[in-house]
Amino acid sequence: MESIGVLMLCPMSAYLEQELQSRFNLFKLWTVPQKPQFLKEHASSIRAVVGNAAAGADAELISALPKLEIVSSYSVGVDKIDLDKCREKGIRVTYTPDVLTEDVADLAIGLILAVLRRLCASDRYVRSGAWKKGDFRLTTKFTGKTVGIIGLGRIGMAVAKRAEAFNCPISYYSRRAKPDIQYTYYPSVVELASNCDILVVACPLNEETWHIINRGVIDALGPKGVLINIGRGPHVDEPELVSALVEGRLGGAGLDVYEKEPEIPEELFGLENVVLLPHVGSGTVETRTAMADLVIGNLEAHFLNKPLLTPLV
Amino acid sequence: MSARENVNIPSGNEEEADHRPLVLVHRLPRFVLPFDMRTTFRLLDPISSAADEPPQDFLSRHAPSIRALITVGPAPVNADLLDLLPSVRLVVGSSAGVDHIDLNECRRRGIAVTNAGSAFSEDVADYAVALLLDVFRRISAADRFVRSGSWPRKPEYPLGFKLGGKRVGIVGLGSIGSEVAKRLVAFGCRIAYNSRNKKPSAPYTYHANVCDLAVNSDVIVVCCALTKETHHIINKDVMTGLGKGGVIINVGRGALIDEKELVQYLTRGEIGGAGLDLFEKEPDVPKELFTLDNVVLSPHRAGLTTESFEAVREVITANLNAFFSNKPLLSPVQYE
C-alpha cells in the first residue's frame, strides 16, 4: 500500500502521522509551499484524504482530486466535509463515533462544574496570592440543577447519564421526541432554555443547527443560566453570546469550541464566569489513540476491499 | 367565681420581654457568622461586642447565662475555653468537620456537640468530582493557556487522560465519600474504599488499609474526618503505592496529607497530579505548586455554595431550637 497517496489536511496527531507514513505515501498539505502546484503534480496519486474538526474535504478539494476514493475524518463531527458531493461521486466517508463519546461527555460535566463552582477562578485566586488577603466568595451548587440538552445522540445521552448521578432533572430538544426516553422533551430550543438552568449543546452542526443558540435562546436562558458548548462554534451566535456575558444577561458559559478557532473574542478573557478550552473534547491520550486507530483501520479496510469499520457514507 | 375579679391588664407602654435564647458566637477574627440569626437568637460576640474589654473578661462576665455556643470556621473549642464557660451544655459546629472541637473534653463535661449533618455533603462531593475532572482533563491549565493568548501560536495543546475505567479509591466512605462514589460510577470509574469499618451495604471493594487501596487505585479521593488516627493518613508510603500516574484529590482536611512529602512527590514527578482544596496551614500554600500544570489549587471552598449555606443555617437553627425547647438534637455528633 506504500504507493497509495494519502493527503493529510492539517497537523492533528503525531502518532497518526507516523502510522500513515509507514503504510502509505503520505502528503502533508500544511507543508506544501504552493497548493495549486502541489495539486497539479500529485493529485492523480491521491486516493484518500484525512481531515478533522478543523479541516475537511470540501467541494473544491474533492473536485481537485479525481482519484479520491475515501475521506477518513479524525473526528465525529463531519460539518467540514461536503457529504452530498461525496455521495454523488461514490466517495466513502468514515468518522470516529463512540470512541470519543465518554471523553466529550466527561468534559461537558467538567465545564459545568468549573463554571458553577468557579474552579479556574479559584485556582487563579490561590496562585496570585489573593487568598492570603481574604476568602473567595460562595459559588452555586450543581447537584439538583436542571440540565437541558440539545441533541440526544450518543454524546447527549452520555451527558444525561452523568448529570443524573448529580440528581439533575434532564430535559432535551431534538428534531423529534424520542419514544423510550424518560426525560422531558421540549419542541423548541427557546422553551428548553426557559426551563433549564444549564443548557448543553451536543448536536451535529448542519444548516438547521447553525446559530441554534441565538439571542432569543440566550435571553430565555437568562442571567442565572449557563451555556455549555461541546458541539461546534457555529452552533452559537458568538457576538450575541459575548455581549450577553459582558452585560450580565447570561449567567455564565463553558466553551470548548468557537466560530473561528483558534481565535477567541478577547472580551471573554476578563470574565470570571466563563471557562475557555482549546477544543479538547476528545483530547485524551487514550481516546486520540483510539481515534487514530480507527482512521487507519478504515483506510486499510478500504484498500483491502474489506467492510469499513465506521462508515458514514 | 365572680366575673368581677381584678385582672391585671398590662399597659401598652411596657417593653416586650426579650425571649430570644442567648447564644455565644465563637470565632477567629478572620471569620464572621455568615447568617443573620438575630430574629431568633440573642447573639453574643466577644470580638465585635466588646471593643475595649479583653475577650476573656467579656466571657467571664456573661458566662453564667451562656448555655450554647456556635463555632464559626476553625475557632478551637478546647478545655481552656470550656473552663471559662461552665454553663455551656451545647456546642454547635457550623462546618463539615469537627476536628477543631475537643470531643473528649465535651463528653467529659456532659456537653453535646452538633455538626452540620449532611448540609455540605453534596457540594463537597460535586467539588471532588470537579477537581478530578480538572486534573485529568487539564481544565484550569487549558483555560490559563487560552487566556494567555497562546492558542493561535501553539495549536496542539497537551492531551489529558481519560477518566472512564479508572480505579478510584475513596478514603472515608461517610456521607461525602458515598456521594462521590455514586457520581463517579456514572463516569465509568471503578470504586474501592478504605474506612475504619467495612460498610456491608456498600457495593464497592473494601481495603483494610490505605496503602492497599493506593496500590490498587489510579486516583485517591480523601474525604474522611480528621482525627488523631487519620493525621497524615496520606503519607509517602501511600504516595509510592499510588505511583507515577496516580492522582490525589483532597476535600477532607489539609492535615490528612503529609504536605511536605506531597510537594516532593509532585515536583519530582513521582505522582501524576493533585487537586487540593485544603492545606496544612491555610491560607499558606507551598509555592512550589504554583508552577505545576498538573495540580489544581482551591481556597477551601468545596462545601461552600449559597445553597449549602442556607442548608447549614437551617441545621444550626433547628439544633438550637431543639436544645432550648428540650427536644432531641437534629445532628448530634456520636461519641464513640
Side-chain angles (χ1 to χ4, degrees):
Chain A
M1 285 195 247
E2 285 102 4
S3 61
I4 297 175
V6 173
L7 177 64
M8 197 172 188
L9 300 184
C10 60
M12 53 189 85
S13 157
Y15 167 66
L16 180 56
E17 266 178 56
Q18 275 168 286
E19 293 298 307
L20 289 173
Q21 203 129 288
S22 66
R23 288 168 172 72
F24 305 105
N25 185 17
L26 182 66
F27 298 100
K28 303 182 207 178
L29 189 61
W30 66 96
T31 62
V32 155
Q34 294 276 35
K35 212 168 107 175
Q37 183 66 18
F38 164 81
L39 286 173
K40 245 170 72 171
E41 253 181 78
H42 298 285
S44 54
S45 70
I46 292 174
R47 295 166 63 186
V49 161
V50 172
N52 66 354
D58 57 15
E60 194 194 323
L61 184 66
I62 293 171
S63 301
L65 300 172
K67 295 289 172 49
L68 184 59
E69 297 168 24
I70 178 168
V71 174
S72 188
S73 196
Y74 181 70
S75 68
V76 71
V78 289
D79 42 282
K80 290 267 159 65
I81 301 174
D82 191 328
L83 295 173
D84 285 337
K85 192 134 191 142
C86 288
R87 281 186 198 105
E88 192 192 298
K89 297 192 156 222
I91 297 171
R92 307 303 307 273
V93 177
T94 69
Y95 64 148
T96 62
D98 298 316
V99 294
L100 48 62
T101 300
E102 290 182 353
D103 275 351
V104 177
D106 287 356
L107 196 76
I109 304 293
L111 279 169
I112 293 173
L113 284 163
V115 174
L116 258 59
R117 301 303 305 273
R118 297 289 193 266
L119 229 59
C120 307
S122 295
D123 180 278
R124 282 197 293 274
Y125 193 78
V126 175
R127 282 173 205 254
S128 71
W131 192 18
K132 301 215 185 183
K133 305 200 200 102
D135 283 333
F136 194 75
R137 87 181 70 53
L138 294 183
T139 54
T140 304
K141 186 172 188 163
F142 174 38
T143 286
K145 293 284 165 26
T146 303
V147 174
I149 304 174
I150 299 176
L152 213 59
R154 287 169 290 246
I155 293 173
M157 286 294 287
V159 173
K161 171 177 164 209
R162 284 152 178 73
E164 282 193 296
F166 293 81
N167 290 349
C168 296
I170 308 290
S171 46
Y172 72 104
Y173 163 81
S174 66
R175 277 167 305 185
R176 281 171 287 281
K178 307 217 164 195
D180 297 319
I181 299 292
Q182 309 286 28
Y183 308 137
T184 307
Y185 175 72
Y186 287 96
S188 78
V189 182
V190 167
E191 279 172 83
L192 179 66
S194 305
N195 290 288
C196 69
D197 301 304
I198 299 157
L199 186 61
V200 180
V201 183
C203 57
L205 177 67
N206 51 44
E207 269 154 20
E208 284 145 20
T209 62
W210 181 84
H211 280 200
I212 196 171
I213 306 298
N214 55 24
R215 171 75 189 242
V217 171
I218 292 171
D219 285 346
L221 197 48
K224 294 221 176 99
V226 171
L227 177 73
I228 303 293
N229 193 2
I230 44 150
R232 285 285 179 266
H235 276 128
V236 175
D237 182 338
E238 205 160 88
E240 283 292 347
L241 175 68
V242 172
S243 60
L245 286 165
V246 166
E247 292 163 26
R249 290 182 284 111
L250 180 64
L255 308 171
D256 187 39
V257 288
Y258 312 85
E259 288 209 81
K260 298 226 296 281
E261 295 168 26
E263 286 163 31
I264 297 182
E266 278 185 23
E267 299 95 305
L268 297 179
F269 290 179
L271 299 178
E272 183 207 273
N273 56 345
V274 173
V275 173
L276 303 167
L277 298 181
H279 201 151
V280 291
S282 62
T284 65
V285 170
E286 297 92 332
T287 292
R288 290 286 173 87
T289 304
M291 286 163 66
D293 288 344
L294 260 185
V295 168
I296 295 158
N298 274 300
L299 289 174
E300 284 189 330
H302 172 76
F303 291 114
L304 292 171
N305 283 314
K306 295 205 175 112
L308 298 181
L309 304 177
T310 45
L312 190 62
V313 171
Chain B
M1 294 224 265
S2 157
R4 288 169 201 241
E5 279 182 278
N6 275 340
V7 178
N8 186 9
I9 301 168
S11 79
N13 287 334
E14 271 182 21
E15 276 190 16
E16 287 201 21
D18 188 347
H19 294 299
R20 295 175 301 161
L22 184 69
V23 179
L24 176 71
V25 176
H26 178 56
R27 63 182 178 94
L28 298 173
R30 224 164 84 90
F31 295 81
V32 289
L33 185 67
F35 355 89
D36 189 355
M37 304 179 69
R38 284 168 304 171
T39 43
T40 327
F41 304 103
R42 201 159 30 118
L43 299 177
L44 273 182
D45 187 335
I47 294 175
S48 51
S49 303
D52 291 329
E53 191 178 12
Q56 281 210 349
D57 296 352
F58 178 92
L59 286 179
S60 299
R61 197 155 56 77
H62 291 275
S65 36
I66 296 173
R67 294 177 55 216
L69 70 91
I70 301 176
T71 70
V72 182
V77 175
N78 50 26
D80 288 343
L81 176 74
L82 296 173
D83 281 344
L84 294 172
L85 302 167
S87 303
V88 161
R89 283 287 154 277
L90 176 68
V91 170
V92 175
S94 62
S95 50
V98 290
D99 44 283
H100 56 293
I101 300 172
D102 189 332
L103 298 175
N104 283 332
E105 271 302 318
C106 290
R107 179 174 40 181
R108 205 170 64 72
R109 295 162 195 249
I111 297 173
V113 179
T114 60
N115 60 19
S118 59
F120 294 110
S121 302
E122 288 175 336
D123 284 303
V124 177
D126 288 359
Y127 210 76
V129 176
L131 286 170
L132 183 51
L133 283 165
D134 194 327
V135 176
F136 262 63
R137 302 300 298 272
R138 307 176 59 102
I139 294 176
S140 287
D143 179 272
R144 265 198 301 279
F145 169 80
V146 166
R147 279 172 206 256
S148 69
S150 302
W151 194 15
R153 289 181 273 123
K154 292 186 225 164
E156 268 215 48
Y157 184 71
L159 297 175
F161 296 94
K162 187 181 172 78
L163 184 56
K166 295 296 187 314
R167 301 164 302 167
V168 175
I170 301 178
V171 181
L173 203 70
S175 59
I176 294 172
S178 51
E179 295 284 351
V180 173
K182 172 184 157 204
R183 283 152 178 71
L184 290 178
V185 163
F187 291 80
C189 295
R190 294 182 278 154
I191 311 291
Y193 72 103
N194 164 262
S195 211
R196 268 167 316 192
N197 305 301
K198 184 171 175 177
K199 317 235 162 186
S201 57
Y204 317 119
T205 305
Y206 174 70
H207 289 275
N209 75 64
V210 185
C211 267
D212 276 350
L213 183 70
V215 163
N216 289 288
S217 298
D218 303 304
V219 177
I220 291 284
V221 180
V222 186
C223 27
C224 57
L226 177 64
T227 63
K228 273 203 286 279
E229 293 83 36
T230 61
H231 182 263
H232 282 194
I233 192 173
I234 308 299
N235 56 25
K236 49 191 275 208
D237 293 333
V238 172
M239 294 181 220
T240 301
L242 185 60
K244 267 194 142 70
V247 169
I248 295 178
I249 303 296
N250 189 7
V251 293
R253 278 287 176 269
L256 289 166
I257 300 184
D258 183 338
E259 197 164 279
K260 274 211 193 63
E261 284 298 335
L262 178 65
V263 171
Q264 291 294 315
Y265 272 69
L266 283 167
T267 50
R268 293 191 304 236
E270 285 165 27
I271 60 168
L276 308 170
D277 184 46
L278 306 138
F279 306 87
E280 291 209 71
K281 286 216 324 262
E282 295 168 21
D284 292 333
V285 175
K287 53 182 175 349
E288 298 92 314
L289 300 180
F290 290 179
T291 54
L292 300 176
D293 269 358
N294 59 343
V295 176
V296 178
L297 303 168
S298 163
H300 197 151
R301 295 281 99 180
L304 303 176
T305 60
T306 44
E307 290 89 341
S308 69
F309 258 46
E310 185 47 41
V312 89
R313 190 180 69 79
E314 283 173 16
V315 170
I316 288 175
T317 306
N319 276 307
L320 286 169
N321 282 336
F323 173 74
F324 286 114
S325 40
N326 287 314
K327 296 214 175 92
L329 299 171
L330 195 74
S331 52
V333 172
Q334 308 295 352
Y335 295 121
E336 272 136 54

